[in-house]
Structures are given as structure tokens and as C-alpha cells.
Amino acid sequence: MTSTVTRQTRSGWGPLSSLLLLAPVLLGAPWIAHRQHSSLPEPIVDLINPVTKLPQISEARILGVSKHLSEDIGFRTPGTYEHALGDKWMYEQVVDFKKKCDEMIAESGRKLECEIWRQEGSGSHRFDMMGSRLYKNYVDLSNIVVRVSDGTAEGKEHAVLVNSHLDSTLPTPGAADDALAVGIMLECMRVLVETPGWSPRHAIVFLFNNAEESLQDGSHLFSTQHPVAPTIRAVVNLEAAGTTGRELLFQATSEQMIEAYSRVPRPFGTIIANDVFSSGIIMSDTDFRQFQQYLNVTGLDMAVVGNSYLYHMRKDLVENIQPGVAQHMGENTLAILQYLSSDPEVLPSLTGGYTKPTTVYYSLLGFFFLYSFSTALKLHAALFVASVALATTLFSGSQPNIGGAGKDAKKGKGKPNGIVSTSSELTAKELVRGAVAAILGFMGCLVGANVVAVIMAKVLGKGMSWFSNEYSALLLYGPPAVLGALISQLLVSPVQELAVYTSITLIQSFLALVVQLLGIGSASLLFLSSASLFIALLINPGFSGSKIEISLVTYALGQSLPLITGTMAMLPVLEVFVPLTGRMGADVPADNLISTIVAAISALAVPLFLPFVHRFGRSTLVKAVILFGIASVVPLAIFAVREPFDEMHQKRLFVLRTENITTGEHHLHLSTSDGAPGFQALVHEIAKEFGSGPEESENPEALPEPIVMDRYNSDWDPMFPFSLFLTPYKVPLTMDIGYTSPWTAPGTKFSITAEEDLVDLSTGTRSLKLRVYHPGLIWTVIAFDAHVLKWNLDDNPPNEYTRHHVKEASFYGKDTWSIDLVVKIPNSGRAEDAGILVNFIGLQEQGMWPGKRALLEDKGLDKNIGSTLLMFRDLDRWIEERTEGGIDAMLLGCVAGVERV
Ligand SMILES: *[C@@H]1O[C@H](CO)[C@@H](O)[C@H](O)[C@H]1NC(C)=O
Ligand SMILES: *[C@@H]1O[C@H](CO)[C@@H](O)[C@H](O)[C@H]1NC(C)=O
Ligand SMILES: [Zn+2]
């Protein structure tokens, strides 16, 4: 054999037959990962295990609780009548639980105590979100609390808190979010207490908090005011942002808690989820934040995240919760509580605070891996060094490689001779060419997918065509990603296959080391991949019989693990991000986001694609380019005619029907939170159908006005600061002649007043109590400009004249709230400038569709108030028919105004 291209020396398998041989790995590895990802336990019905006679988590009972809350009671938005019903029902449950518990104790004399509370309280807190400063004020909200302990003072000294929320957000019945977790907690209580002889060494506090969706007021109330709050050492928070799949651990804030999580029967948590969530890109938050901020405790934050299309939607119903979800979350939660309440050390060890975890963890094929950052660093460093060593032994040649590659590779070391390298030489220069090919390949992959994203969204106007199926974006962006990678290789071809393989191993192991050095545990993904590439490469000569050739067995070995980990990353990331594009706002380039995800994770999943491409030389590469060119255009054509939304993957439409009591005007405000095409056209149709501006019939098409969305747009303050991501339109309405506003009538007027008002011209300040009176209205918001020197919302208002937003949430029937403030009067304190212009808005407690649908049958409903629901019924029906169920509309009756106080 001579230095002619090594192709002839190969086993003789062409590209297609090679792929066929590799097919078991290429298809099998993702299949294994997918199976693992979608595995859920069998749902259990029996409360008692018929074999062991011990109590067990019953999914049937959990779902029964969820169904009662979400369907029998309904939409439990804080401040509504239904919300109060949820509170009452929950209290009855724990009273009943205590009764049974006490009976059991009386019978058995066990070391056990069950205590219950209905906590009620008011307060305020600063709650910054999405980059905006915001304050919350709450009145008489409630929590239901249960403590299970061994009855001793020592047993109660250290407790683990487990939390779920009873309330649901604006129009959603909240079956998964979060009634499911309420059921899980009740079920854990039953199983623990009914287990014969069970007694907790450390207490467990069950918090059924009744105001999470109003921005975590319930957990704030518990953390700042409940008598047992100071005993809490750790928190387990149970949430949902979807209805299917395994419950995901997405925040774990200490070593001890990760250790606790490792005890669960079916772990599903990775440091990657933790890193993604803590980056803030998901734009959501849980009660966990309050426990961290006000109790300063560590914990675990877990949620059901699959099928996130239904998150905060009408269809968050029990019928849409996948069988096995409740069982999975229930058994995992129980295991954590059993461990923390029985282990003598863990909870007490957290008394003096906790340390941020420096732990890498992930679940892989049913195993839970857990090791420290320093171990990870050593591993990654060792791998990188080993990769460099291997690369050095392989690529130290500097003369033509004549047969028996093994021998001459070493001989050539340090003997530069001016020979121009050919593709058969194992020289350092070839390795550099390989690295260039690898880097270009990765970039080409990203570019290829993003070009198609731009074509779809900007050129064809068919953005978000993949929305209705989380994985479908793989079909649209996968082929152009491959095409981009292939085209990039034309620039460098021919390159040695082995050089590309080796350089990818080097680059990945280098990045694994660097990323880990930055303290980002997600580096483990790169580590696992480069480790398997390295090992396969190391033993490759054993299969190929040569150092220069790569055996197909090596491909199979090297590629298996990256395919598994890549698939395990791809599935949850797409499941989270694809539905998320429906609520990220119109300004987010959703197509580019998803195409980048597809391309980047695919590149990670199939690192050996590039060396494989160079295995067969340039003519095969050219053929592959043509093939993938076609393969990219076909899905593009198919996706261009797809509708992004359907009945189970709906567009979010926000509708406010607002009466401005200052001007007497009525408007329909419409907005959406995605950038899919067609919204403007829909708004025009709605305007034509339901709007009635003064210029009627003249040019009905021009009626809806696009609105500038900023901090000064008070129309959308009920949704502030999420509202900043909306794309709103405004349509004027005319009211029936017989309409008289209930919101301006004496005694029930929505108003803002200043009490205890004192202007001090000598200091240029004014102190006052700003009181909001809001009968029949909930979730009121005020926004005003002022230079606040002092107030009761927090200790450090910004020291400047600026805009403030204060939101309220109160228990049903509470119709007034206030804040105390001292402001600096602008313009050097002239008395005539002391007034503050306050924008205010609130939601009609009886004007929320579909939550209040049943009220239409209520004979006692005030006809002025009922007019909102009547219109929503018609509008909702119209939207349903017009879009064939492709839209979930949130329809809220609002009352707003502006007053100088
Ligand atoms: C919270 O606990 C940590 C120790 O884990 C401590 O360093 C920190 O000062 C505490 N913060 C507050 C606000 O108490
Ligand atoms: C109500 O009308 C007043 C006066 O035009 C305006 O300043 C205010 O922004 C309006 N409020 C809302 C919420 O539309
Ligand atoms: Zn929730």
C-alpha cells in the first residue's frame, strides 16, 4: 500500500451499507433514550397494597382531589368566590385528617402528633420579575397548614416543608397546576400516618398555600408570619407547567437536598435543567423563591413539565393529565419526605444555613449519578490530558504513511521534513485541518437551520409552523442543519477522517474542562460525549487493525452514548421550549430559537457525523449535499402549509373588556403572546364583528388600533409586567342604552383616595395613605409616578421620581386596601404640584370567562354586570368557530380609571 488515499484499504462498505450496518445504533440509542424519557409507573388505585397490607400512594385518589378542585369547585383565582370555596374545602380535609390521626394515636399510643392551622393574614412584598420592579399588597389571604411530628419539642425543632398551591391563575381550572400536587400531599399524609408504627424523627410541615398565582403571596405569608416558619430547614416544592411525563427536578440548592433526591424511586433530574432554569430564560418562578428569600432555606423544586401547551390554559383538566404522572410524582415526593423526616442528621445540619451545591448530577438510563464539582474537574482534566496524549501519538507523523501506521507514527516525532502533507499523513497539520472542519461543521449546522428559520418566518410568513408538535421542528430544521454542516465541509475537503474524529474528541474534552472550570455542571454532557469518543478511538486499532482507519465498530461504540444523552437532552428541551414560544411574546424570534436548539443539540448528539462524511471522499460529500438539499426543501414546503395551532395546542389570546370610569368609554383590548402570523387579521375580524366605533361602517377595517406597549400603558396592568411582552390592539365598543355603570354608583364606586394627608411645604414632602376601594373587583393594580421617600412596601424605594406598580390580591369579599407613603413633592415642593396621578384597574369578580360561565344561569345576576359575561359568551363562541378551536381566549371584564389624589 502506498500513500494513495486510504479508501481502498477500507473494509469495502460504501456509505449506504455503512449506514445500514450502523442503523441499530443510530435508531436504537435514541429509541432507548425516548423509552426511558417517557416511562411512567403504572397508576395504582388501591389505597392499601393487597400483598403487603401497607398503605400506598394511590393515583386514583390524587386525581380525585384534583378533579374536585378543578371541576366541582372550578377556577380558583385568588379573590373569587371559588377561591374561597377551595379554602373551605381544604380546611375540611385537614380537620378530617386530624380527627383520623387523633383516633389512631388514641388506639395505638404511637409517638405521633397532627396539628392543623388555617393561617390568615395581610402583608406586602416587593416582587421583581422579568426585569421590572413590582410590589404586591395582600389582604386576609389564607394558607392551610398541617404539621406531622412525633409530638416532642425536639421532634418539632427541625422540619421539612412540602408545598403546593390550591389556587389557580386567571382562567384556568388548574388541575395539574397545582391541584395535582395538593392531592399528592394529602396522599403522602395518609400513607405516612397510616403506616403502622411510623413516627417521624423530624416534623413534616404540609403547606397548602392559597395564593401562588397572585405572585406568591401565600408562601410569603407563611414564610413571614406563620409560627412554625422558623423551624423549617428544607423545602420540597411541587408544581406543574404541563400535564404529562415524569416530574422533573429543576432546582436543587444544596448538596444535602440532591442527596435526598437521589433516594427517590424514579429520578428525573439533571444539572442541565437546573442550569437552564437558573439562567432565567424560562421566565417563570415558583413559591420556592419566597422560601429562599424569607426563610433562607434550601430545597428541591419539582414540576410536571410535559405537554406545557396546557399550562395556564382552560384545558388544564384531569382528563389531560397522563396516567402515571401522579403516581410518579407521588412516590418520589413520599420517598423524599420519608428520608428527610427519618434521617437524624440532614435537617439539623441545615440549621446554620446551607452551601450552594457544587455537585454534578444527572439521571441516565434509570441510574442517578452524583459527584462533586472537584471530581468532575479531575475527570474532565484527566480526559482532556488523555485526549491530547492520544492525539499526539496518533498525529506525530511527518512523512508519508506507508503501511503499518502504528510504527511510523512514533518514528516521525520531532523530525520535521519539508514534505507537503497529503490526506494520508498523520501530521499535526492534518489534525488542525480536522479541527477547522469540525468547527466549520458546527457553524454550518447552526447556519443551515437558521437560514430555514428565517425563510419560514420572514420570507414566507409561516413562523411557528412546528408549534403543535414539540418534536416536529426536528423534521423542519434537522435536514438543513445537516446540509449546512455538509456544505461547510466542501470548503475544507479532503480532510482525513481520523483527523476530524480526533479533533472533535479534543475540542469536546477541552470544552468540558473549560465549562466545568466556569462552575457550570452542564459540562457533564460534553464530558460524557467526549469520553465515549475517546474510549472508542483508543481501542479502535483493535477493530480496524490499523491506526489510520476507523472501524465501523468504533463509530457504533463512540456514537452510542452521545446519541442517548443527546436525545435525553433534546426531548425535554423541545418539550419545554416549543410550547414556551407560545407565551414568550411576539418579539422573540421563535423560529431561530427553536432552530438553534435543534441544530446545537443535534450536533452534540451526532458528533461522529463529520468524520463519517469524510470517510468516503469528496464525491460522496457532493452527493450528500444534493440529497440533503432536497431533504431540506421538502419539509419546508410541507410546514409552510401547516397551521401552527390546533385544539390541543392553542394560541393564547388575551381579551380585556374595559370600562374606563374616568371617560365612560368601553374598549375591547386584544393581545397575544406569540409571534405567529395572522393575529392582526383576526383582530380586524373581531373588531368588525364586535366593535362599534363612532366611525362605524365608514372604514371598519381600520378600527383596531395597535397600541404601544410600555410601562405607561395602564390598559394591561392586570398582567403587568408580563404585559410588556404582549402585542395589543384596542377596539372601541358602544354600550346598550340601558347600561348604568355599577362602578361609579355611590357606595360601590371604584375609587382612590388620600387619607391622613399631610403636605409639609417646609420639607417639600407629603405623607398620605393611598386607599383603594374596589367592591366587586379583584386583582386591582395602581400605577403612578412619584419620588417615594418612604413607604410600607419595602425599606428602599428607588431614590428618584419614577413609575411604580402596586398589585393587590385579597380574599373574597375584601374590598379595600391601602399603602402608606411619604413622597417628595416635585418642582421644589410647590403645593399645586403635590397631586399624584394614579392609574387604577381591576377585574370584575363576576366578569371572567369561562370561569364564571355558570353565573349566566343565575337569576340574581345584576344585568349591568352580566353584560360582560353575555358578550364574552358570544365572542368566545365566535372565536371557537372561526379558529376551529385553535385559540384559548382569556376573557376578563375590567374597570379602570385615572384619578389625581
Ligand atoms: C442565609 O444563609 C446563609 C448561610 O447558608 C448565610 O450566609 C446568609 O447570611 C443568610 N441570609 C440571610 C438573609 O439570613
Ligand atoms: C382611562 O382614561 C383616562 C383619560 O383618558 C386615561 O388617561 C387612562 O389611561 C384610561 N385608563 C385605561 C386603563 O384605559
Ligand atoms: Zn403553579
mmCIF file of all heavy atoms in Angstrom, residues 17 101 103 116 144 196 224 259 285 313 347 357-358 493 523 526 534 597 612 615 663 671 815 820 880:
data_model
loop_
_atom_site.group_PDB
_atom_site.id
_atom_site.type_symbol
_atom_site.label_atom_id
_atom_site.label_comp_id
_atom_site.label_asym_id
_atom_site.label_seq_id
_atom_site.Cartn_x
_atom_site.Cartn_y
_atom_site.Cartn_z
ATOM 1 N N SER A 17 -24.289 1.164 2.762
ATOM 2 C CA SER A 17 -24.202 -0.086 3.529
ATOM 3 C C SER A 17 -23.623 0.179 4.917
ATOM 4 O O SER A 17 -24.000 -0.469 5.888
ATOM 5 C CB SER A 17 -23.393 -1.144 2.780
ATOM 6 O OG SER A 17 -22.271 -0.557 2.172
ATOM 7 N N CYS A 101 -56.219 11.018 62.537
ATOM 8 C CA CYS A 101 -54.890 10.905 63.127
ATOM 9 C C CYS A 101 -55.018 10.758 64.655
ATOM 10 O O CYS A 101 -54.407 9.867 65.257
ATOM 11 C CB CYS A 101 -54.083 12.138 62.760
ATOM 12 S SG CYS A 101 -52.417 12.150 63.394
ATOM 13 N N GLU A 103 -57.552 9.730 66.368
ATOM 14 C CA GLU A 103 -58.156 8.440 66.700
ATOM 15 C C GLU A 103 -57.108 7.335 66.686
ATOM 16 O O GLU A 103 -57.044 6.493 67.584
ATOM 17 C CB GLU A 103 -59.251 8.078 65.684
ATOM 18 C CG GLU A 103 -60.568 8.833 65.911
ATOM 19 C CD GLU A 103 -61.510 8.706 64.720
ATOM 20 O OE1 GLU A 103 -61.248 7.873 63.812
ATOM 21 O OE2 GLU A 103 -62.499 9.467 64.694
ATOM 22 N N ILE A 116 -53.055 21.257 62.952
ATOM 23 C CA ILE A 116 -53.534 21.957 61.758
ATOM 24 C C ILE A 116 -53.743 23.439 62.040
ATOM 25 O O ILE A 116 -53.990 23.849 63.176
ATOM 26 C CB ILE A 116 -54.844 21.334 61.215
ATOM 27 C CG1 ILE A 116 -55.951 21.396 62.279
ATOM 28 C CG2 ILE A 116 -54.617 19.899 60.775
ATOM 29 C CD1 ILE A 116 -57.311 20.986 61.727
ATOM 30 N N ILE A 144 -53.548 26.800 54.422
ATOM 31 C CA ILE A 144 -53.904 25.680 55.287
ATOM 32 C C ILE A 144 -52.609 24.920 55.566
ATOM 33 O O ILE A 144 -51.884 24.565 54.634
ATOM 34 C CB ILE A 144 -54.930 24.750 54.603
ATOM 35 C CG1 ILE A 144 -56.118 25.545 54.037
ATOM 36 C CG2 ILE A 144 -55.381 23.662 55.570
ATOM 37 C CD1 ILE A 144 -56.967 26.252 55.041
ATOM 38 N N PRO A 196 -48.317 1.522 59.840
ATOM 39 C CA PRO A 196 -48.293 1.104 61.247
ATOM 40 C C PRO A 196 -46.939 1.415 61.886
ATOM 41 O O PRO A 196 -45.888 1.121 61.315
ATOM 42 C CB PRO A 196 -48.513 -0.411 61.172
ATOM 43 C CG PRO A 196 -49.172 -0.645 59.847
ATOM 44 C CD PRO A 196 -48.676 0.423 58.939
ATOM 45 N N THR A 224 -43.262 34.625 56.364
ATOM 46 C CA THR A 224 -43.030 35.791 57.216
ATOM 47 C C THR A 224 -43.894 35.804 58.475
ATOM 48 O O THR A 224 -43.585 36.536 59.400
ATOM 49 C CB THR A 224 -43.289 37.094 56.435
ATOM 50 O OG1 THR A 224 -44.615 37.040 55.884
ATOM 51 C CG2 THR A 224 -42.286 37.271 55.307
ATOM 52 N N GLU A 259 -28.702 14.923 47.516
ATOM 53 C CA GLU A 259 -28.550 13.605 48.150
ATOM 54 C C GLU A 259 -29.935 13.036 48.504
ATOM 55 O O GLU A 259 -30.228 11.871 48.241
ATOM 56 C CB GLU A 259 -27.689 13.784 49.412
ATOM 57 C CG GLU A 259 -27.473 12.542 50.250
ATOM 58 C CD GLU A 259 -26.685 11.466 49.530
ATOM 59 O OE1 GLU A 259 -25.800 11.834 48.738
ATOM 60 O OE2 GLU A 259 -26.975 10.277 49.764
ATOM 61 N N ASP A 285 -41.389 31.367 37.717
ATOM 62 C CA ASP A 285 -40.924 31.422 39.071
ATOM 63 C C ASP A 285 -41.873 30.589 39.912
ATOM 64 O O ASP A 285 -43.015 30.421 39.547
ATOM 65 C CB ASP A 285 -41.067 32.875 39.527
ATOM 66 C CG ASP A 285 -39.787 33.377 40.133
ATOM 67 O OD1 ASP A 285 -39.111 32.583 40.774
ATOM 68 O OD2 ASP A 285 -39.508 34.572 39.966
ATOM 69 N N MET A 313 -53.944 27.096 30.973
ATOM 70 C CA MET A 313 -54.981 27.116 29.945
ATOM 71 C C MET A 313 -56.246 26.457 30.498
ATOM 72 O O MET A 313 -56.213 25.742 31.484
ATOM 73 C CB MET A 313 -54.513 26.328 28.714
ATOM 74 C CG MET A 313 -53.307 26.909 28.027
ATOM 75 S SD MET A 313 -53.683 28.402 27.087
ATOM 76 C CE MET A 313 -53.399 27.813 25.431
ATOM 77 N N LEU A 347 -31.645 17.323 58.380
ATOM 78 C CA LEU A 347 -32.345 18.576 58.692
ATOM 79 C C LEU A 347 -31.604 19.404 59.747
ATOM 80 O O LEU A 347 -31.391 20.603 59.533
ATOM 81 C CB LEU A 347 -33.796 18.301 59.102
ATOM 82 C CG LEU A 347 -34.712 17.811 57.981
ATOM 83 C CD1 LEU A 347 -36.130 17.592 58.513
ATOM 84 C CD2 LEU A 347 -34.743 18.774 56.804
ATOM 85 N N PRO A 357 -24.825 23.979 46.070
ATOM 86 C CA PRO A 357 -24.253 22.698 45.676
ATOM 87 C C PRO A 357 -23.143 22.887 44.657
ATOM 88 O O PRO A 357 -23.237 23.714 43.762
ATOM 89 C CB PRO A 357 -25.434 21.955 45.062
ATOM 90 C CG PRO A 357 -26.355 23.017 44.598
ATOM 91 C CD PRO A 357 -26.164 24.174 45.518
ATOM 92 N N THR A 358 -22.112 22.125 44.834
ATOM 93 C CA THR A 358 -21.091 22.033 43.798
ATOM 94 C C THR A 358 -21.082 20.572 43.420
ATOM 95 O O THR A 358 -20.131 19.852 43.674
ATOM 96 C CB THR A 358 -19.732 22.486 44.331
ATOM 97 O OG1 THR A 358 -19.505 21.833 45.579
ATOM 98 C CG2 THR A 358 -19.719 23.983 44.556
ATOM 99 N N SER A 493 -12.688 20.033 2.386
ATOM 100 C CA SER A 493 -12.457 18.673 1.886
ATOM 101 C C SER A 493 -11.329 18.688 0.835
ATOM 102 O O SER A 493 -11.239 19.647 0.064
ATOM 103 C CB SER A 493 -13.769 18.155 1.306
ATOM 104 O OG SER A 493 -13.561 17.340 0.205
ATOM 105 N N ALA A 523 -21.468 20.876 31.924
ATOM 106 C CA ALA A 523 -20.301 20.383 31.193
ATOM 107 C C ALA A 523 -20.289 18.868 31.108
ATOM 108 O O ALA A 523 -19.653 18.298 30.219
ATOM 109 C CB ALA A 523 -19.026 20.876 31.880
ATOM 110 N N LEU A 526 -20.903 17.334 27.717
ATOM 111 C CA LEU A 526 -19.744 17.291 26.830
ATOM 112 C C LEU A 526 -18.758 16.227 27.284
ATOM 113 O O LEU A 526 -18.137 15.550 26.465
ATOM 114 C CB LEU A 526 -19.052 18.661 26.826
ATOM 115 C CG LEU A 526 -19.781 19.769 26.091
ATOM 116 C CD1 LEU A 526 -19.297 21.133 26.543
ATOM 117 C CD2 LEU A 526 -19.590 19.598 24.585
ATOM 118 N N PHE A 534 -13.464 9.208 23.029
ATOM 119 C CA PHE A 534 -12.076 8.896 23.375
ATOM 120 C C PHE A 534 -11.870 7.385 23.519
ATOM 121 O O PHE A 534 -10.946 6.805 22.938
ATOM 122 C CB PHE A 534 -11.696 9.617 24.665
ATOM 123 C CG PHE A 534 -10.372 9.182 25.220
ATOM 124 C CD1 PHE A 534 -9.186 9.672 24.684
ATOM 125 C CD2 PHE A 534 -10.303 8.265 26.262
ATOM 126 C CE1 PHE A 534 -7.960 9.258 25.180
ATOM 127 C CE2 PHE A 534 -9.074 7.841 26.756
ATOM 128 C CZ PHE A 534 -7.900 8.339 26.217
ATOM 129 N N ILE A 597 -31.783 25.484 18.824
ATOM 130 C CA ILE A 597 -31.824 24.353 19.758
ATOM 131 C C ILE A 597 -31.659 23.033 19.004
ATOM 132 O O ILE A 597 -30.842 22.180 19.365
ATOM 133 C CB ILE A 597 -33.157 24.356 20.554
ATOM 134 C CG1 ILE A 597 -33.143 25.484 21.582
ATOM 135 C CG2 ILE A 597 -33.400 23.007 21.226
ATOM 136 C CD1 ILE A 597 -34.466 25.672 22.307
ATOM 137 N N PHE A 612 -17.445 10.821 9.616
ATOM 138 C CA PHE A 612 -18.097 9.838 8.745
ATOM 139 C C PHE A 612 -18.229 10.390 7.324
ATOM 140 O O PHE A 612 -18.036 9.686 6.347
ATOM 141 C CB PHE A 612 -19.463 9.488 9.327
ATOM 142 C CG PHE A 612 -20.148 8.353 8.624
ATOM 143 C CD1 PHE A 612 -19.727 7.041 8.834
ATOM 144 C CD2 PHE A 612 -21.205 8.579 7.752
ATOM 145 C CE1 PHE A 612 -20.354 5.987 8.182
ATOM 146 C CE2 PHE A 612 -21.835 7.531 7.105
ATOM 147 C CZ PHE A 612 -21.406 6.229 7.319
ATOM 148 N N ARG A 615 -15.168 10.053 5.356
ATOM 149 C CA ARG A 615 -14.737 8.668 5.155
ATOM 150 C C ARG A 615 -14.774 8.303 3.679
ATOM 151 O O ARG A 615 -14.013 7.480 3.218
ATOM 152 C CB ARG A 615 -15.696 7.772 5.950
ATOM 153 C CG ARG A 615 -15.345 6.304 6.051
ATOM 154 C CD ARG A 615 -16.409 5.619 6.903
ATOM 155 N NE ARG A 615 -16.183 4.189 7.021
ATOM 156 C CZ ARG A 615 -15.409 3.631 7.945
ATOM 157 N NH1 ARG A 615 -14.762 4.382 8.796
ATOM 158 N NH2 ARG A 615 -15.265 2.309 8.002
ATOM 159 N N THR A 663 -63.566 58.249 31.703
ATOM 160 C CA THR A 663 -64.071 58.797 30.437
ATOM 161 C C THR A 663 -65.427 58.207 30.067
ATOM 162 O O THR A 663 -66.085 58.705 29.160
ATOM 163 C CB THR A 663 -63.111 58.437 29.280
ATOM 164 O OG1 THR A 663 -63.060 56.998 29.190
ATOM 165 C CG2 THR A 663 -61.718 58.970 29.534
ATOM 166 N N SER A 671 -54.855 40.964 22.785
ATOM 167 C CA SER A 671 -53.431 40.778 22.568
ATOM 168 C C SER A 671 -53.085 39.304 22.613
ATOM 169 O O SER A 671 -53.884 38.455 22.996
ATOM 170 C CB SER A 671 -52.610 41.531 23.598
ATOM 171 O OG SER A 671 -52.638 40.842 24.812
ATOM 172 N N ASP A 815 -62.757 44.422 50.131
ATOM 173 C CA ASP A 815 -62.828 45.362 49.020
ATOM 174 C C ASP A 815 -62.090 46.679 49.243
ATOM 175 O O ASP A 815 -62.368 47.669 48.582
ATOM 176 C CB ASP A 815 -64.290 45.608 48.618
ATOM 177 C CG ASP A 815 -65.119 46.077 49.790
ATOM 178 O OD1 ASP A 815 -64.521 46.453 50.816
ATOM 179 O OD2 ASP A 815 -66.354 46.064 49.678
ATOM 180 N N ASP A 820 -49.136 53.159 52.725
ATOM 181 C CA ASP A 820 -48.692 54.404 53.363
ATOM 182 C C ASP A 820 -47.439 54.872 52.658
ATOM 183 O O ASP A 820 -46.523 54.078 52.437
ATOM 184 C CB ASP A 820 -48.351 54.157 54.835
ATOM 185 C CG ASP A 820 -49.556 53.662 55.612
ATOM 186 O OD1 ASP A 820 -50.678 54.127 55.308
ATOM 187 O OD2 ASP A 820 -49.384 52.803 56.499
ATOM 188 N N GLU A 880 -64.117 30.427 18.776
ATOM 189 C CA GLU A 880 -64.057 28.962 18.713
ATOM 190 C C GLU A 880 -64.388 28.474 17.300
ATOM 191 O O GLU A 880 -63.681 27.653 16.730
ATOM 192 C CB GLU A 880 -65.062 28.412 19.741
ATOM 193 C CG GLU A 880 -65.370 26.944 19.647
ATOM 194 C CD GLU A 880 -64.403 26.087 20.430
ATOM 195 O OE1 GLU A 880 -63.774 26.633 21.346
ATOM 196 O OE2 GLU A 880 -64.259 24.900 20.087
#
